[in-house]
Amino acid sequence: MDLQAAGTFDVSLTPDGTPDAGPDGTKLGMMLLDKRFHGPLEATGQGRMLTAMTGVEGSAVYVALERVTGTLDGRSGSFVLRHVGTMDRGHQHLSISVVPDSGSGDLAGLSGEMRIRVADGQHFYDFSYSLPDD
């Protein structure tokens, strides 16, 4: 990836329905995602998340699709992020990438990967991306 953008974001998760608990203690749930990105990415993110919380503390998984709309380094448009996150007894594995051909407007042709981290209650993103002709 040729370009980098880093900043902060605010996130709100809202349960969408009642979690479905299985006989093994695993709960399947759905959440609505609402984000506000700040910095080189000035945008809103809205999406849906599916979750599975196991009966083992610290083990879970989520998948999500999130439409991001706004500006990236001054370019206007939207794109979709694909999230896959796994917690394996407290060890996190997270992959977030731009869905191919989901970019619109000035962000058509966007590709990239995003990393997120949380420190002292604040959410941060690091976005490595490329655009055609960059």
Side-chain angles (χ1 to χ4, degrees), residues 78-99:
S78 67
F79 57 94
V80 177
L81 291 173
R82 183 250 337 138
H83 299 240
V84 178
T86 303
M87 290 291 289
D88 182 356
R89 297 180 186 239
H91 299 284
Q92 181 181 16
H93 308 281
L94 183 59
S95 172
I96 304 171
S97 61
V98 175
V99 172

Side-chain angles (χ1 to χ4, degrees), residues 7-73:
T8 62
F9 68 94
D10 305 304
V11 62
S12 172
L13 297 172
T14 305
D16 187 18
T18 303
D20 176 28
D24 61 354
T26 299
K27 295 180 185 175
L28 302 180
M30 292 185 289
M31 306 284 267
L32 300 177
L33 260 186
D34 186 21
K35 288 184 183 171
R36 299 291 181 268
F37 292 93
H38 311 287
L41 178 59
E42 281 292 334
T44 60
Q46 295 186 324
R48 294 189 181 272
M49 175 188 297
L50 298 175
T51 63
M53 305 289 287
T54 73
V56 175
E57 185 173 338
S59 292
V61 67
Y62 87 91
V63 295
L65 294 174
E66 174 185 7
R67 182 181 321 278
V68 178
T69 305
T71 60
L72 174 59
D73 284 328

Side-chain angles (χ1 to χ4, degrees), residues 1 72 78-83 96-103 107 109-114 127-130:
M1 301 294 137
L72 174 59
S78 67
F79 57 94
V80 177
L81 291 173
R82 183 250 337 138
H83 299 240
I96 304 171
S97 61
V98 175
V99 172
D101 298 315
S102 66
L107 300 177
L110 177 73
S111 63
E113 296 182 1
M114 184 177 284
F127 190 28
S128 299
Y129 69 94
S130 46

